[in-house]
């Protein structure tokens, strides 16, 4: 399988494991969007479309000192974007407010300006869109903006044309009067015999007459254009009443909220999966221990606020132990391997204190004893919970601390107690809870195991750390080990360190018993590129 496939598979599994987090984010998004949508003020939208024809032809305003093509007052042909801004300006909207009978204060005008949008569709077509508290008011506002702009534009154009015509007529009258005044001056020059002056005056009189006629023609053209003002400007598509409000759009807002919640849930789930230090899958457990998962049980997922290991029912612990023991037997590591047909010594250990690891050690010892081999279960976890209540009142491992070395093996044999099945014996933790006994007691295990008669199979259950010596004292007494890993409780770094310590101490990890595996975790829990050992060190 390609590495990329493994990454996508683990990502999908992490999302499935945290489906409740994702669903919670989706519900949160839906509820938040619903509250937001339903709390909004109902708003209706209406749109009207108008077309603006030419107002004052640019050729007629060429003599204005401040006039030019495509610029000037409202009555002239302004750029499309400029006219769109004029329609949505507070100056025009003040007239709209007054016409509709709304309050004429600045607040009302600003509110109307904030909900008014004018778009220049083409050079002479405009779309006016505005909102209102009701459908009819929105229609009235949109139509009023368009009609008032057209009316003001026509008024401004007529006023401009009238002004231009009056100016042209005044120029024509002035030029005519000046031309008439030159007649007497020409006669006087002719009477004096000054032909040169008379010729100059005649040329000047011709120019004034031409100017008068031109001004008269301009005035006539402007008066003619005055009658055509507004002919090409009209409200082509008046606003109509909508049957549904434009805001709030509850269905759209809820859909957007659900999508945002889904995205948030996916993000949090992936972030949590990549940042959590805890083991969550079979593959993670196998990768941390470099060993396959030989037995696994489903369990409750760990929460952010809950990092305890719930005790499994006895029947499930027994099933896990039997499965793990059978898996070790099928591996056939060596002719004398534990659960493989001969005696051996095995350490069952967990990276963190859990009531389940001792039960699994007992179940594996029971499975080994049922196969007809004499088996000793050494409970070296001094602080652990007793797995056999009927043995709690007996002396045990810690009571051997003060025993002389010469008689310690004989004394240990006397402390063996019958287990729950035939051929199973148990060495309890003991009743001596002094500091010295608790620190030194587990270090006596290698000597006890070495002094056993031939033929015994040994299962030792101990904590991950024993005093100042770590796992070394217990690992020295065994040939191999099995790790009990609790999903959501054991950290991947702690499990990896424990695996390295066991390997260094000569007790390599043969397999992992995983507790709390998720239903969605369908992998086998075998490390990538894993190859079983062709041979293993001989076990006792």
């Amino acid at each position: 399988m390609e590495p990329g496939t493994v990454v996508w598979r683990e990502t999908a599994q992490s999302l499935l494991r945290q489906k409740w987090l994702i669903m919670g984010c989706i519900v949160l998004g839906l509820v938040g969007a619903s509250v937001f949508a339903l709390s909004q003020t109902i708003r209706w939208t209406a749109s009207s479309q108008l077309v603006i024809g030419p107002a004052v032809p640019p050729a007629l305003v060429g003599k204005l000192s401040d006039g030019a093509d495509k610029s000037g007052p409202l009555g002239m042909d302004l750029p499309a974007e400029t006219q769109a801004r004029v329609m949505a300006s507070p100056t025009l909207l003040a007239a709209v407010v007054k016409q509709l009978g709304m309050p004429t204060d600045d607040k009302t005008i600003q509110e109307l300006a904030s909900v008014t949008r004018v778009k220049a569709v083409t050079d002479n077509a405009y779309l006016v869109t505005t909102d209102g508290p009701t459908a009819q008011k929105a229609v009235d506002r949109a139509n009023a903006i368009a009609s008032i702009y057209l009316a003001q534009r026509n008024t401004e154009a007529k006023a401009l044309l009238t002004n231009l015509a009056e100016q042209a007529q005044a120029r024509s009258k002035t030029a005519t009067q000046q031309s008439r005044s030159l007649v007497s001056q020409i006669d006087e020059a002719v009477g004096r015999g000054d032909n040169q002056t008379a010729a100059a005056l005649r040329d000047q009189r011709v120019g004034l007459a031409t100017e008068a006629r031109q001004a008269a023609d301009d005035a006539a053209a402007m008066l003619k254009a005055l009658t055509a003002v507004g002919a090409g400007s009209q409200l082509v598509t008046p606003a109509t009443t909508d049957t549904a409000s434009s805001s709030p759009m509850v269905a759209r807002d809820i859909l957007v909220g659900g999508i945002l919640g889904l995205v948030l849930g996916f993000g949090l789930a992936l972030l949590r999966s990549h940042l959590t230090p805890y083991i969550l899958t079979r593959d993670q457990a196998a990768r941390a221990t470099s060993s396959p998962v030989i037995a696994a049980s489903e369990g409750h997922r760990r929460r952010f606020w809950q990092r305890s290991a719930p005790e499994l029912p006895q029947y499930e612990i027994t099933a896990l132990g039997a499965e793990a023991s059978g898996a070790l037997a099928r591996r056939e590591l060596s002719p004398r391997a534990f659960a493989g047909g001969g005696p051996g010594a095995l350490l069952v250990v967990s990276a963190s204190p859990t009531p389940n690891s001792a039960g699994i050690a007992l179940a594996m010892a029971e499975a080994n004893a049922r196969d007809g081999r004499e088996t000793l279960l050494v409970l070296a976890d001094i602080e652990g919970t007793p797995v056999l209540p009927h043995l709690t009142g007996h002396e045990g491992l810690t009571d051997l601390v003060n025993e002389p070395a010469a008689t310690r093996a004989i004394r240990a044999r006397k402390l063996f107690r019958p287990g729950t099945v035939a051929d199973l014996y148990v060495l309890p933790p003991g009743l001596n809870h002094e500091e010295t006994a608790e620190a030194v007691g587990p270090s006596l295990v290698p000597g006890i195991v070495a002094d056993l008669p031939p033929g015994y199979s040994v299962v030792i259950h101990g904590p991950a750390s024993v005093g100042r010596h770590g796992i070394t004292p217990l690992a020295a007494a065994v040939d191999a080990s099995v790790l009990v890993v609790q999903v959501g409780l054991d950290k991947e770094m702690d499990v990896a360190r424990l695996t390295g310590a066991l390997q260094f101490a000569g007790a390599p990890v043969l397999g992992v018993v995983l507790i709390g595996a998720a239903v969605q975790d369908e992998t086998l829990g075998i490390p990538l590129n894993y190859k079983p050992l062709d041979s293993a060190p001989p076990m006792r």
Side-chain angles (χ1 to χ4, degrees):
M1 183 178 296
E2 295 296 330
T5 305
V6 177
V7 172
W8 281 109
R9 182 185 65 191
E10 291 183 352
T11 302
Q13 290 172 353
S14 67
L15 295 177
L16 286 174
R17 282 195 307 274
Q18 302 182 76
K19 59 180 179 295
W20 294 114
L21 173 63
I22 298 175
M23 294 178 63
C25 291
I26 294 175
V27 172
L28 179 62
L30 294 175
V31 172
S34 301
V35 173
F36 172 79
L38 297 177
S39 63
Q40 298 298 305
T41 303
I42 297 178
R43 185 178 69 244
W44 298 78
T45 299
S47 299
S48 61
Q49 188 171 358
L50 66 153
V51 175
I52 298 176
V56 178
L60 299 181
V61 296
K63 296 185 179 299
L64 289 177
S65 58
D66 58 345
D69 292 354
K70 297 298 180 181
S71 63
L74 181 61
M76 299 179 60
D77 289 331
L78 305 176
E81 293 297 333
T82 302
Q83 296 198 61
R85 292 189 181 96
V86 171
M87 291 185 211
S89 64
T91 302
L92 183 73
L93 295 179
V96 175
V97 167
K98 184 177 181 180
Q99 177 176 313
L100 296 178
M102 301 169 62
T104 57
D105 52 19
D106 292 339
K107 181 180 179 181
T108 304
I109 297 174
Q110 292 297 330
E111 289 179 353
L112 181 58
S114 64
V115 297
T116 300
R117 302 168 294 279
V118 181
K119 179 181 179 181
V121 182
T122 62
D123 288 343
N124 64 337
Y126 301 86
L127 183 65
V128 180
T129 304
T130 187
D131 301 332
T134 64
Q136 187 58 46
K137 289 185 177 180
V139 169
D140 294 341
R141 291 179 179 182
N143 290 334
I145 292 172
S147 59
I148 288 177
Y149 179 74
L150 291 176
Q152 288 193 3
R153 188 169 184 270
N154 292 340
T155 300
E156 294 279 350
K158 289 178 180 180
L160 178 59
L161 285 173
T162 301
N163 183 32
L164 291 175
E166 291 176 352
Q167 292 180 12
Q169 289 174 350
R171 291 198 306 272
S172 176
K173 184 178 179 180
T174 302
T176 301
Q177 291 176 352
Q178 292 177 353
S179 176
R180 290 175 181 176
S181 66
L182 292 178
V183 175
S184 59
Q185 295 180 16
I186 294 173
D187 292 340
E188 291 178 359
V190 172
R192 294 194 306 269
D194 190 356
N195 295 328
Q196 185 177 0
T197 301
L201 291 175
R202 288 190 187 98
D203 293 340
Q204 186 177 358
R205 185 171 181 271
V206 171
L208 290 173
T210 302
E211 183 180 353
R213 286 193 303 271
Q214 182 63 43
D217 291 341
D218 290 343
M222 293 175 185
L223 292 176
K224 182 180 179 180
L226 187 61
T227 60
V229 170
S233 302
Q234 59 179 334
L235 181 61
V236 293
T237 307
T240 57
T241 304
D242 289 340
T243 58
S245 62
S246 61
S247 176
M249 300 181 68
V250 179
R252 181 200 64 184
D253 293 343
I254 292 179
L255 177 60
V256 172
I259 294 175
L260 293 178
L262 179 63
V263 174
L264 176 63
F266 275 12
L268 290 178
L270 293 176
L271 187 66
R272 181 184 179 188
S273 298
H274 286 81
L275 294 183
T276 180
Y278 300 99
I279 291 178
L280 301 176
T281 65
R282 289 179 172 88
D283 285 343
Q284 284 181 315
R287 182 170 58 247
T289 60
S290 301
S291 302
V293 176
I294 58 177
S297 70
E298 297 179 4
H300 300 287
R301 290 179 298 276
R302 302 300 96 210
R303 310 295 182 184
F304 284 117
W305 60 88
Q306 181 185 3
R307 291 297 173 188
S308 60
E311 188 172 358
L312 295 178
Q314 186 59 44
Y315 70 89
E316 191 167 353
I317 291 180
T318 302
L320 282 176
E323 183 180 358
S325 181
L328 293 181
R330 289 188 295 272
R331 286 171 57 91
E332 297 180 356
L333 293 179
S334 69
R336 303 177 63 190
F338 175 83
L346 182 73
L347 173 65
V348 178
V349 65
S350 60
S352 58
T354 168
N356 300 314
S357 58
I360 292 173
L362 172 62
M364 295 185 69
E366 290 177 345
N368 195 51
R370 287 192 186 97
D371 290 338
R373 291 181 293 275
E374 286 188 310
T375 304
L376 172 64
L377 173 62
V378 180
L379 300 176
D381 188 356
I382 307 301
E383 301 295 335
T385 303
V387 292
L388 297 174
H390 63 283
L391 296 180
T392 56
H394 295 279
E395 294 178 319
L397 179 62
T398 56
D399 296 292
L400 298 176
V401 173
N402 298 322
E403 187 72 22
T407 59
R408 186 173 295 157
I410 300 175
R411 174 67 172 163
R413 292 280 305 206
K414 294 181 180 180
L415 297 180
F416 293 174
R417 305 300 178 207
T420 52
V421 297
D423 295 330
L424 174 62
Y425 302 93
V426 180
L427 178 59
L431 300 178
N432 192 341
H433 294 291
E434 297 178 359
E435 183 178 355
T436 302
E438 292 182 356
V440 179
S443 62
L444 302 178
V445 174
I448 297 172
V449 174
D451 291 334
L452 288 174
Y456 264 93
S457 294
V458 182
V459 177
I460 301 174
H461 173 257
S465 178
V466 181
R468 294 173 300 174
H469 306 287
I471 200 66
T472 302
L474 296 179
V478 299
D479 303 297
S481 59
V482 171
L483 279 185
V484 179
V485 178
Q486 178 77 44
V487 169
L489 178 66
D490 292 330
K491 295 183 179 180
E492 188 170 358
M493 181 61 70
D494 294 341
V495 173
R497 288 176 176 174
L498 178 58
T499 301
L502 290 170
Q503 181 74 29
F504 179 78
V509 177
L510 300 181
V512 177
V513 177
L514 191 64
I515 298 176
V519 180
Q520 297 82 9
D521 189 5
E522 299 177 354
T523 60
L524 297 177
I526 300 176
L528 293 176
N529 304 322
Y530 174 76
K531 294 182 180 180
L533 297 175
D534 296 332
S535 61
M539 305 175 71
R540 275 190 50 88

